[in-house]
Amino acid sequence: MSDFFQHFGQTVAFIAITAVVIGSALAATFAKSIVHASFALFFTLLGMAGYYFLLGADFLGITQVIIYVGGILVLLLFGVLLTSRSLDQLQIRSRASYIAASAVGLAVLAMLWKAIIRGPWQHVTPVVPQQTTQSLGRLLLTDYLLAFEFSSVTLLAALIGAAYIVRRREK
Amino acid sequence: MQTVWPLFVYLAAAAAVPAGMIMVSFVLGARHSDRATGEPYESGIVSTGSARLRFPIHFYLVAMFFVIFDLEAVFLFAWAVAVRELGWAGFAEALVFIGVLVAALAYLWRLGALDWGPKPFARLSHSRHKDS
């Protein structure tokens, strides 16, 4: 009985999250104003975090919220506010941009579709690890140590690159 | 999944409280449509122009730094949860990770990328040596 409720709850949550993600993604795509598109993207990214939580990947979900919702989206909005053109001119009206965006989107969809079709899917009973964060931390600092340390170098390159670009623009 | 339902209750409550506030104020609030109701200030200086203005580039730089150090924090969270298990070797590895980013921070500090607004030192030297 509780198994039924668990399954039912998961299905309901999945449908609700999917509705939010698809709805907000469509709103982001067809929004006239780029600021509205950014705010719609907020709900899309939040919904992706919901998927991660639903799959038991709590660390990934929190990371999604902290970095994408809290960081990247703010960066996106700042980028919009910093552009030299006024917000009214940033509205997407041209047919060419629609066609180009549709082409890129369809190409990505085709790639994903192929990966989904060809992928060796197998049905296994999901083993949800109780503490993903601890095992992730352990793996990062043992088996994937090189990637972990290299990521700090990548972040260093990003920091210096950002400062360089801003300094060059100030001159 | 069984432990997730309080989260949904919490989310429902978080949505219900502001929605309830807006509903109650909508139902109970007074309505009037006078000449100045739509104005930003019912008494005061009438605003002109657009509120949309360009932000200085420094805001973007700070936002970028935030995202990068945010990412660093996420990696450190993962380490912090497993810190007892990983012991001193993990501590040394994390220290290297932090050290690289501290070096970047020191470099940015020296570069003046963290300075905000009119620079006090630059202004002092400018007032002393006006000819330069």
Side-chain angles (χ1 to χ4, degrees):
Chain A
M1 193 66 185
S2 73
D3 196 48
F4 167 75
F5 272 118
Q6 192 177 337
H7 193 73
F8 181 72
Q10 276 180 345
T11 309
V12 167
F14 180 78
I15 289 169
I17 292 169
T18 305
V20 169
V21 166
I22 292 179
S24 58
L26 283 174
T29 311
F30 294 107
K32 282 277 182 281
S33 155
I34 198 161
V35 178
H36 292 174
S38 305
F39 277 110
L41 204 59
F42 171 85
F43 290 101
T44 310
L45 295 172
L46 213 59
M48 296 312 290
Y51 279 137
Y52 292 143
F53 283 124
L54 202 61
L55 291 169
D58 48 359
F59 182 73
L60 207 57
I62 289 290
T63 307
Q64 167 84 8
V65 170
I66 289 176
I67 292 179
Y68 278 92
V69 180
I72 303 279
L73 204 65
V74 172
L75 209 61
L76 206 68
L77 279 173
F78 270 41
V80 170
L81 293 174
L82 281 162
T83 44
S84 51
R85 284 182 291 176
S86 77
L87 286 178
D88 305 327
Q89 287 173 321
L90 280 172
Q91 289 175 353
I92 308 144
R93 288 226 180 90
S94 73
R95 195 170 284 273
S97 68
Y98 265 122
I99 290 167
S102 306
V104 171
L106 284 174
V108 172
L109 183 68
M111 268 160 57
L112 285 175
W113 189 252
K114 203 149 193 170
I116 290 166
I117 293 292
R118 287 235 177 126
W121 297 102
Q122 41 193 325
H123 287 279
V124 288
T125 45
V127 183
V128 180
Q130 285 305 307
Q131 290 175 321
T132 59
T133 315
Q134 192 171 358
S135 26
L136 264 171
R138 193 185 61 238
L139 285 172
L140 267 178
L141 285 144
T142 50
D143 290 3
Y144 300 97
L145 180 63
L146 185 67
F148 177 69
E149 301 292 1
F150 193 76
S151 69
S152 78
V153 179
T154 313
L155 293 177
L156 176 122
L159 277 172
I160 292 172
Y164 172 74
I165 289 168
V166 169
R167 273 173 72 83
R168 197 185 54 182
R169 205 176 291 182
E170 274 181 345
K171 276 172 188 170
Chain B
M1 192 59 207
Q2 276 139 333
T3 52
V4 173
W5 69 266
L7 184 70
F8 287 103
V9 173
Y10 172 72
L11 282 177
V17 168
M21 283 177 176
I22 293 167
M23 284 279 278
V24 167
S25 69
F26 181 78
V27 172
L28 299 179
R31 279 190 198 80
H32 60 103
S33 57
D34 292 324
R35 203 155 44 85
T37 304
E39 301 281 338
Y41 305 106
E42 284 195 60
S43 61
I45 300 166
V46 177
S47 59
T48 59
S50 171
R52 273 100 188 240
L53 48 95
R54 283 181 64 197
F55 282 77
I57 193 89
H58 265 109
F59 282 105
Y60 196 68
L61 194 62
V62 168
M64 225 174 215
F65 290 167
F66 166 71
V67 170
I68 290 164
F69 286 113
D70 214 23
L71 208 57
E72 184 197 359
V74 165
F75 277 115
L76 290 180
F77 287 153
W79 167 62
V81 173
V83 69
R84 286 187 200 285
E85 199 180 334
L86 290 161
W88 288 105
F91 181 73
E93 288 157 9
L95 217 57
V96 172
F97 179 79
I98 298 167
V100 170
L101 285 161
V102 166
L105 188 63
Y107 175 73
L108 290 174
W109 203 322
R110 273 296 301 277
L111 206 67
L114 302 177
D115 293 343
W116 193 274
K119 293 173 190 132
F121 292 108
R123 209 171 43 195
L124 262 178
S125 62
H126 185 70
S127 59
R128 277 181 194 162
H129 315 286
K130 275 221 163 115
D131 49 345
S132 64

